[in-house]
Amino acid sequence: MFRPMRPIRPVRAVRPVGRPLARGLVVGGAAYAAGRAGARRAAEEQDQDRAIAELQAEQDRAAQQQAGQQPAYAPPPTAPAPAPAAAPAAPAAGGEDVASKLAQLAQLVQQGLLTPEEFAAAKARLLA
C-alpha cells in the first residue's frame, strides 16, 4: 500500500570534465614552454657574455704584452729611415750600385721595415 518516500537528495550540478581540464592543460603547457624558452635564452646570453669577457681579457693581455714590447720595437722604425736618406749618394758610384741598393730596399720592404710608400720615395731618389 503506502510506501514511504525516499528522502529527496539535492540535485548536483554535473561538472563538465573535458573543457576545464583541457583549458588548464593548454594554459599550463604554454606557461611551461614560455618558461623553458626564457631560461634557454638566459643561459645563451650568459654563455655569450662569458665568451665576450674571455675575448676582452685576451685582447687586454695582448695589448699589455704589446705595450710592454713596444719600447723594444720603437727604435727599429727610426733605424731604416737613414737608409733611404743615404740612397742619393749611390748614383755617383755606378749602375750596379743602384741595382744593389734597390735590392736592399726591396728586402727591407719584404721584412716589413719599410712601407711601400717609403720604398717608392727611396727608389725615386735612387733613379733621379
Side-chain angles (χ1 to χ4, degrees):
M1 299 224 180
F2 183 52
R3 285 191 347 188
M5 285 181 57
R6 287 192 265 165
I8 300 176
R9 292 184 192 162
V11 178
R12 285 189 208 167
V14 178
R15 291 175 122 179
V17 174
R19 281 195 177 156
L21 184 59
R23 184 180 311 133
L25 288 174
V26 169
V27 171
Y32 175 75
R36 283 196 64 184
R40 190 178 321 119
R41 265 188 253 114
E44 288 173 0
E45 285 182 18
Q46 286 178 348
D47 290 343
Q48 192 176 25
D49 289 343
R50 190 177 314 121
I52 289 172
E54 289 174 4
L55 286 174
Q56 286 177 343
E58 286 179 26
Q59 288 176 351
D60 290 343
R61 280 183 290 213
Q64 288 174 355
Q65 287 176 353
Q66 191 177 25
Q69 292 174 355
Q70 273 185 345
Y73 287 102
T78 57
E96 287 184 21
D97 212 22
V98 171
S100 65
K101 291 288 185 182
L102 283 174
Q104 283 179 338
L105 288 173
Q107 286 178 351
L108 290 174
V109 170
Q110 287 177 349
Q111 293 173 357
L113 298 174
L114 282 180
T115 63
E117 293 82 18
E118 292 172 336
F119 173 73
K123 186 170 93 171
R125 285 186 208 137
L126 278 176
L127 298 176

